PDB file of all heavy atoms in Angstrom:
ATOM      1  N   MET C 253       8.735  -5.662  18.755  1.00  0.00           N
ATOM      2  CA  MET C 253       7.837  -4.528  18.946  1.00  0.00           C
ATOM      3  C   MET C 253       6.346  -5.020  19.051  1.00  0.00           C
ATOM      4  O   MET C 253       5.662  -4.489  19.889  1.00  0.00           O
ATOM      5  CB  MET C 253       7.941  -3.542  17.746  1.00  0.00           C
ATOM      6  CG  MET C 253       9.246  -2.787  17.726  1.00  0.00           C
ATOM      7  SD  MET C 253       9.260  -1.715  16.264  1.00  0.00           S
ATOM      8  CE  MET C 253      10.690  -0.740  16.515  1.00  0.00           C
ATOM      9  N   LEU C 254       6.024  -5.999  18.217  1.00  0.00           N
ATOM     10  CA  LEU C 254       4.625  -6.458  18.246  1.00  0.00           C
ATOM     11  C   LEU C 254       4.324  -7.136  19.609  1.00  0.00           C
ATOM     12  O   LEU C 254       3.269  -6.917  20.239  1.00  0.00           O
ATOM     13  CB  LEU C 254       4.357  -7.457  17.135  1.00  0.00           C
ATOM     14  CG  LEU C 254       4.277  -6.797  15.740  1.00  0.00           C
ATOM     15  CD1 LEU C 254       4.337  -7.900  14.655  1.00  0.00           C
ATOM     16  CD2 LEU C 254       3.027  -5.955  15.577  1.00  0.00           C
ATOM     17  N   ARG C 255       5.261  -7.961  20.059  1.00  0.00           N
ATOM     18  CA  ARG C 255       5.071  -8.616  21.418  1.00  0.00           C
ATOM     19  C   ARG C 255       4.939  -7.543  22.514  1.00  0.00           C
ATOM     20  O   ARG C 255       4.155  -7.721  23.449  1.00  0.00           O
ATOM     21  CB  ARG C 255       6.221  -9.551  21.668  1.00  0.00           C
ATOM     22  CG  ARG C 255       6.074 -10.865  20.895  1.00  0.00           C
ATOM     23  CD  ARG C 255       7.065 -11.939  21.361  1.00  0.00           C
ATOM     24  NE  ARG C 255       8.445 -11.545  21.155  1.00  0.00           N
ATOM     25  CZ  ARG C 255       9.176 -11.928  20.033  1.00  0.00           C
ATOM     26  NH1 ARG C 255       8.623 -12.597  19.087  1.00  0.00           N
ATOM     27  NH2 ARG C 255      10.399 -11.528  19.946  1.00  0.00           N
ATOM     28  N   ALA C 256       5.726  -6.447  22.437  1.00  0.00           N
ATOM     29  CA  ALA C 256       5.687  -5.402  23.417  1.00  0.00           C
ATOM     30  C   ALA C 256       4.332  -4.688  23.422  1.00  0.00           C
ATOM     31  O   ALA C 256       3.898  -4.083  24.387  1.00  0.00           O
ATOM     32  CB  ALA C 256       6.826  -4.405  23.216  1.00  0.00           C
ATOM     33  N   ASN C 257       3.572  -4.820  22.281  1.00  0.00           N
ATOM     34  CA  ASN C 257       2.256  -4.235  22.139  1.00  0.00           C
ATOM     35  C   ASN C 257       1.148  -5.301  22.313  1.00  0.00           C
ATOM     36  O   ASN C 257       0.054  -5.104  21.875  1.00  0.00           O
ATOM     37  CB  ASN C 257       2.131  -3.571  20.751  1.00  0.00           C
ATOM     38  CG  ASN C 257       2.713  -2.185  20.765  1.00  0.00           C
ATOM     39  OD1 ASN C 257       2.054  -1.205  21.060  1.00  0.00           O
ATOM     40  ND2 ASN C 257       3.992  -2.092  20.386  1.00  0.00           N
ATOM     41  N   ASN C 258       1.543  -6.388  22.948  1.00  0.00           N
ATOM     42  CA  ASN C 258       0.589  -7.504  23.297  1.00  0.00           C
ATOM     43  C   ASN C 258      -0.098  -8.097  22.029  1.00  0.00           C
ATOM     44  O   ASN C 258      -1.220  -8.513  22.085  1.00  0.00           O
ATOM     45  CB  ASN C 258      -0.487  -7.023  24.279  1.00  0.00           C
ATOM     46  CG  ASN C 258       0.113  -6.573  25.588  1.00  0.00           C
ATOM     47  OD1 ASN C 258       0.949  -7.302  26.150  1.00  0.00           O
ATOM     48  ND2 ASN C 258      -0.254  -5.420  26.056  1.00  0.00           N
ATOM     49  N   TYR C 259       0.660  -8.116  20.951  1.00  0.00           N
ATOM     50  CA  TYR C 259       0.223  -8.718  19.735  1.00  0.00           C
ATOM     51  C   TYR C 259       0.756 -10.162  19.726  1.00  0.00           C
ATOM     52  O   TYR C 259       2.009 -10.354  19.663  1.00  0.00           O
ATOM     53  CB  TYR C 259       0.620  -7.945  18.512  1.00  0.00           C
ATOM     54  CG  TYR C 259       0.035  -8.480  17.206  1.00  0.00           C
ATOM     55  CD1 TYR C 259      -1.153  -7.919  16.743  1.00  0.00           C
ATOM     56  CD2 TYR C 259       0.646  -9.499  16.503  1.00  0.00           C
ATOM     57  CE1 TYR C 259      -1.705  -8.374  15.571  1.00  0.00           C
ATOM     58  CE2 TYR C 259       0.060  -9.959  15.329  1.00  0.00           C
ATOM     59  CZ  TYR C 259      -1.103  -9.424  14.878  1.00  0.00           C
ATOM     60  OH  TYR C 259      -1.670  -9.871  13.703  1.00  0.00           O
ATOM     61  N   ASN C 260      -0.062 -11.140  19.736  1.00  0.00           N
ATOM     62  CA  ASN C 260       0.354 -12.554  19.751  1.00  0.00           C
ATOM     63  C   ASN C 260       0.657 -13.046  18.299  1.00  0.00           C
ATOM     64  O   ASN C 260      -0.210 -12.998  17.453  1.00  0.00           O
ATOM     65  CB  ASN C 260      -0.675 -13.472  20.362  1.00  0.00           C
ATOM     66  CG  ASN C 260      -0.889 -13.109  21.826  1.00  0.00           C
ATOM     67  OD1 ASN C 260       0.029 -12.885  22.577  1.00  0.00           O
ATOM     68  ND2 ASN C 260      -2.129 -13.160  22.263  1.00  0.00           N
TER      69      ASN C 260
END
Side-chain angles (χ1 to χ4, degrees):
M253 289 178 173
L254 288 169
R255 285 190 295 267
N257 278 272
N258 299 312
Y259 187 94
N260 295 321

